[in-house]
Amino acid sequence: MKSTASAPGKIILFGEHFVVYGVKAILCAINKRITITAKTISENKISIKSSIGNLVSAPKRPLTEVDIQLRPFYFLADKMIQKYDEKSGMEITIDSEIPIGVGLGSSSACCVAGAAAISGVFIEKSKEEILQMAIEAEKTIFPNTSGADCTVCTFGGIMQYDKKTGHSKIDSEAKFHLVIANSKIAHYTKEVVSNVNQFKEKNEERFSKICNEENNLINDVLVCLKKNDLKGIGINIIKNQEYLELIGVSNAKLRNMIELANKSSFGAKITGAGVGGCIFALTDETNMEDTIQQLRKNDYECFSVKIDFRGLDTF
Ligand code: PMV
């Protein structure tokens, strides 16, 4: 038996960091995908082939013995084998269009496509069931995950999320292109989140004021998204970047990339934890090429994406 599934990556459009303290965040799925194929094999082993590493291992091993990046796949395969056919094994192949570890949702896309492909070998599940499996698998890497990333990778489109009320889909025509540029500086979300927490502890009043401003900004973005008002969204992107600068998650390279992208796009900002990782710039057909050229002329790796409305796909 063989089963294939693919899921999109994601970016955080607005609200990273502040979302940890209760502010709303806006995320979207992007049309760069991870495709996973799973098939049962007669030998009682789990085999994983991917660009991030390979593994051949017996089932029922403690997860701590498995390389952290491959853990979700091992966890899912082991669980399904134990449940449906203890004597069999599984071979998993992973194909990715998403750069790994730069805040573009590669691990959530892996968990969503992995959950669908691996369970699909034995049984058909709903998207909601696959999402729950994917979140469980993601917890083998990030025990405190909110599940927001897996949710947007499963259903696609644009989504708002806050800690208290959870997620809901934003209906928007979203007639824009995003130019994503990679700083090639490794990004360590946990460390940056902890530094922001220290900043907050030392500057309670200032931090709370910035959270209020971010909150107002997000409310304005929601109105702009409904109207497909790219200029309005762009102004808010630039403002949001100022708030991220204030809490110390930027650096000279990211600022330089943003400055270059701001010359022709509607607005550019960090996406995700910051300090390393990626920035994105909001564009449409009129300024996308200029924005890409501006960044490439300065040797920054960049590419354009659109919103992915498909979400999880199974074959
Ligand atoms: O770096 P990423 O894309 O994994 O995003 C981190 C987002 C934060 O808001 C900084 C942390 C979080 O848990 O929401």
Side-chain angles (χ1 to χ4, degrees):
M1 281 290 285
K2 187 170 156 184
S3 148
T4 300
S6 90
K10 68 97 214 338
I11 67 164
I12 301 177
L13 289 171
F14 294 94
E16 51 274 268
H17 288 293
F18 305 107
V19 69
V20 175
Y21 303 95
V23 176
K24 216 177 265 175
I26 302 178
L27 296 83
C28 69
I30 55 173
N31 62 343
K32 291 269 174 211
R33 300 193 146 246
I34 280 184
T35 304
I36 298 186
T37 300
K39 65 173 184 198
T40 44
I41 50 176
S42 53
E43 250 182 292
N44 187 223
K45 64 177 188 186
I46 294 169
S47 154
I48 304 170
K49 292 181 186 158
S50 77
S51 58
I52 47 169
N54 298 319
L55 171 89
V56 180
S57 169
K60 289 189 184 166
R61 267 175 61 190
L63 284 178
T64 45
E65 287 177 15
V66 179
D67 173 18
I68 191 153
Q69 288 196 312
L70 301 178
R71 230 173 252 178
F73 307 109
Y74 184 88
F75 166 80
L76 289 163
D78 195 36
K79 193 171 166 169
M80 290 296 112
I81 292 171
Q82 301 318 324
K83 186 161 179 188
Y84 292 105
D85 188 0
E86 251 194 310
K87 290 198 178 73
S88 74
M90 189 171 281
E91 191 177 281
I92 300 159
T93 2
I94 302 151
D95 257 326
S96 177
E97 297 173 344
I98 309 171
I100 308 287
V102 289
L104 300 182
S106 59
S107 65
S108 333
C110 275
C111 290
V112 171
I118 293 167
S119 65
V121 170
F122 298 108
I123 190 169
E124 204 174 305
K125 286 189 183 280
S126 68
K127 276 195 171 183
E128 199 51 59
E129 286 171 320
I130 288 166
L131 171 61
Q132 291 320 315
M133 279 180 72
I135 294 174
E136 213 188 324
E138 196 177 40
K139 285 189 175 159
T140 65
I141 317 185
F142 307 116
N144 300 324
T145 179
S146 65
D149 287 12
C150 281
T151 307
V152 79
C153 294
T154 303
F155 297 107
I158 313 180
M159 191 183 86
Q160 54 180 324
Y161 169 81
D162 73 73
K163 274 190 154 171
K164 217 157 132 202
T165 52
H167 57 84
S168 60
K169 204 155 184 165
I170 297 173
D171 285 320
S172 163
E173 293 281 299
K175 289 202 184 78
F176 53 75
H177 297 259
L178 300 168
V179 173
I180 296 179
N182 186 351
S183 71
K184 302 262 177 95
I185 303 172
H187 102 312
Y188 301 102
T189 302
K190 231 173 156 177
E191 202 178 296
V192 186
V193 168
S194 148
N195 290 344
V196 170
N197 188 257
Q198 278 173 31
F199 174 87
K200 173 188 169 282
E201 298 287 304
K202 284 192 202 130
N203 306 275
E204 284 290 353
E205 211 173 304
R206 228 171 120 206
F207 192 81
S208 141
K209 221 172 131 203
I210 306 172
C211 281
N212 283 340
E213 306 234 352
E214 178 76 17
N215 202 42
N216 295 338
L217 180 153
I218 303 263
N219 287 335
D220 193 46
V221 170
L222 292 172
V223 177
C224 294
L225 275 171
K226 280 221 165 69
K227 297 193 286 198
N228 202 37
D229 171 9
L230 299 194
K231 283 201 176 126
I233 300 171
I235 290 167
N236 283 312
I237 289 175
I238 292 165
K239 246 198 232 170
N240 197 155
Q241 177 58 26
E242 285 167 17
Y243 303 156
L244 291 170
E245 295 282 349
L246 290 177
I247 61 169
V249 301
S250 191
N251 61 28
K253 191 167 188 185
L254 294 168
R255 266 193 293 278
N256 180 242
M257 292 160 82
I258 288 166
E259 198 183 310
L260 291 167
N262 275 342
K263 286 187 184 168
S264 44
S265 71
F266 295 107
K269 69 178 268 296
I270 287 166
T271 178
V275 184
C278 295
I279 64 134
F280 77 85
L282 182 77
T283 66
D284 61 11
E285 266 102 31
T286 64
N287 53 7
M288 182 180 77
E289 269 316 311
D290 285 350
T291 307
I292 290 176
Q293 287 319 320
Q294 196 64 249
L295 287 157
R296 290 208 176 134
K297 242 181 12 208
N298 288 274
D299 288 334
Y300 290 119
E301 179 188 279
C302 65
F303 53 90
S304 72
V305 297
K306 288 199 282 191
I307 307 280
D308 170 286
F309 289 99
R310 275 158 64 195
L312 169 67
D313 240 350
T314 45
F315 309 99

